[in-house]
């Protein structure tokens, strides 16, 4: 299963009149923002900063929904749900999974799209 929803990508391309350069810009923005958010999620989970964690998870989940990153979206949703019900013992492992899924998604995007990426 692809980490990006083909339906969402097709819809984004349809909305842009088939202009893939806009899709590329969206991916570049996602990678930059996602890098900051996934790092913030890991740091906040490790330091029990629940408010920052809640904010960063919500923001990353929204970005995932925009580009059709369904797998990462689902992990963010699980983490968000655990934060809301205060299942703190499950938060750090899920935060680690968010970071792993984000990194896997970036690799997928970089190998399938002409992205300018600076580590």
């Amino acid at each position: 299963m692809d980490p990006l929803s083909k339906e969402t990508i097709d819809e984004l391309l349809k909305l842009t009149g088939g202009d893939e350069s806009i899709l590329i810009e969206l991916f570049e923005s996602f990678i930059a923002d996602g890098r900051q958010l996934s790092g913030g999620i890991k740091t906040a989970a490790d330091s029990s900063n629940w408010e920052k964690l809640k904010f960063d998870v919500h923001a990353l989940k929204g970005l995932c929904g925009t580009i059709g990153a369904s797998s990462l979206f689902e992990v963010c949703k699980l983490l968000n749900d655990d934060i809301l019900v205060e299942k703190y013992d499950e938060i750090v492992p899920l935060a680690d999974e968010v970071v792993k899924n984000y990194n896997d998604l970036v690799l997928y995007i970089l190998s399938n799209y002409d992205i300018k990426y600076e580590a």
Side-chain angles (χ1 to χ4, degrees), residues 22-79:
I22 295 172
L23 183 65
I24 298 302
E25 286 180 34
L26 185 62
F27 285 149
E28 289 172 346
S29 178
F30 171 81
I31 289 171
D33 293 344
R35 178 177 49 215
Q36 183 177 11
L37 290 167
S38 66
I41 288 167
K42 177 66 176 142
T43 301
D46 288 344
S47 64
S48 302
N49 184 342
W50 309 130
E51 285 305 310
K52 175 157 179 40
L53 180 63
K54 188 173 167 182
F55 178 86
D56 286 354
V57 169
H58 182 75
L60 185 58
K61 185 175 74 156
L63 292 175
C64 290
T66 300
I67 67 164
S70 48
S71 176
L72 182 54
F73 178 91
E74 288 302 319
V75 177
C76 287
K77 183 178 179 322
L78 289 172
L79 181 52

Side-chain angles (χ1 to χ4, degrees), residues 38 72 94-106:
S38 66
L72 182 54
L94 278 174
D96 290 340
E97 193 172 335
V98 165
V99 172
K100 181 190 178 316
N101 272 272
Y102 167 76
N103 290 329
D104 290 347
L105 178 58
V106 168

